[in-house]
Amino acid sequence: DAGVTQSPTHLIKTRGQQVTLRCSPISGHKSVSWYQQVLGQGPQFIFQYYEKEERGRGNFPDRFSARQFPNYSSELNVNALLLGDSALYLCASSNGQPNTEAFFGQGTRLTVV
Amino acid sequence: GESVGLHLPTLSVQEGDNSIINCAYSNSASDYFIWYKQESGKGPQFIIDIRSNMDKRQGQRVTVLLNKTVKHLSLQIAATQPGDSAVYFCAESRSGAGSYQLTFGKGTKLSVIP
């Protein structure tokens, strides 16, 4: 079975631009969560989606948005990029039930210049 | 604010020895914990989890211990191998919060000396 897949793997953008990151969860999983991991730190929760609805949002500005599609894949959008948005963006897949395993993709390395 | 943290930022062990990585959590409402292993340039890899109604859980070469009294979590790796070298994170969540989100600590870097 395929694990969590994310695309692209690497991305370079200029300040002020917009970026869209994509994630496909493990087959059968209905929940996708997004995390930002700055170098040297643990991942920080951005969003959780379950059955196409936003279930949770972390402490991130409105420049960050996401959505989930009927096939449970998800996109994370970041507008008006700042240098500080440079990070590894991780997608986690789970069945959406509390206290169950969450599996991460390899991440998208975003560099803002 | 409440957070999950680690006692030791780095840990060096001899190949073949046992490793113990510690984690302290401060949110008493947390009822689910996961240990992840992250190698350079990769996403976190699920190792083992434990629910708050347990105090010990074993996997292949790994054991997680949970002490709710002192809000402490540990990961024990038996017969540490060079392939175990990575950064290890503990993460916590709590049911009933309306969403499933994990709160991570800063991580412990494990270096295995051949």
Side-chain angles (χ1 to χ4, degrees):
Chain A
D1 286 338
V4 182
T5 58
Q6 293 187 243
S7 64
T9 55
H10 295 83
L11 201 54
I12 300 175
K13 289 286 189 177
T14 305
R15 278 180 300 174
Q17 285 188 313
Q18 176 265 343
V19 68
T20 298
L21 311 180
R22 297 175 176 83
C23 172
S24 293
I26 293 170
S27 177
H29 281 183
K30 298 181 179 180
S31 176
V32 169
S33 299
W34 288 95
Y35 290 79
Q36 180 195 66
Q37 186 177 24
V38 175
L39 193 64
Q41 298 184 16
Q44 295 288 315
F45 174 76
I46 308 175
F47 286 111
Q48 184 214 355
Y49 276 78
Y50 178 70
E51 291 278 20
K52 295 170 288 182
E53 293 186 357
E54 181 181 308
R55 289 292 187 88
R57 184 184 182 117
N59 187 25
F60 281 82
D62 291 342
R63 299 185 296 107
F64 289 75
S65 63
R67 56 179 175 169
Q68 186 176 34
F69 299 99
N71 65 355
Y72 303 113
S73 67
S74 178
E75 288 182 349
L76 174 70
N77 296 284
V78 186
N79 294 323
L81 285 165
L82 304 174
L83 295 179
D85 295 330
S86 296
L88 181 67
Y89 288 85
L90 296 161
C91 172
S93 166
S94 72
N95 64 18
Q97 300 306 309
N99 298 354
T100 58
E101 300 94 329
F103 299 95
F104 283 85
Q106 294 299 296
T108 294
R109 171 69 65 186
L110 172 65
T111 302
V112 182
V113 297
Chain B
E2 293 181 319
S3 64
V4 174
L6 297 175
H7 293 307
L8 299 172
T10 60
L11 178 65
S12 294
V13 298
Q14 289 290 141
E15 180 179 357
D17 287 352
N18 297 333
S19 303
I20 300 176
I21 301 172
N22 297 301
C23 175
Y25 66 96
S26 57
N27 187 346
S28 58
S30 297
D31 54 8
Y32 180 59
F33 305 88
I34 304 177
W35 279 101
Y36 287 96
K37 171 188 180 183
Q38 188 173 28
E39 297 174 285
S40 181
K42 297 184 177 180
Q45 175 188 352
F46 178 95
I47 300 174
I48 192 168
D49 61 354
I50 188 168
R51 294 172 175 77
S52 59
N53 61 352
M54 305 171 68
D55 54 19
K56 180 179 181 179
R57 190 162 189 227
Q58 289 184 293
Q60 186 177 12
R61 283 201 307 119
V62 294
T63 300
V64 55
L65 300 177
L66 175 62
N67 186 331
K68 294 182 289 295
T69 302
V70 296
K71 297 179 201 167
H72 183 268
L73 193 69
S74 68
L75 176 70
Q76 300 178 1
I77 305 174
T80 311
Q81 303 169 1
D84 295 326
S85 295
V87 177
Y88 289 80
F89 293 96
C90 64
E92 58 93 4
S93 74
R94 60 184 178 95
S95 57
S99 68
Y100 178 18
Q101 63 183 71
L102 296 169
T103 300
F104 286 79
K106 292 185 178 179
T108 292
K109 182 177 181 180
L110 175 64
S111 295
V112 181
I113 304 168

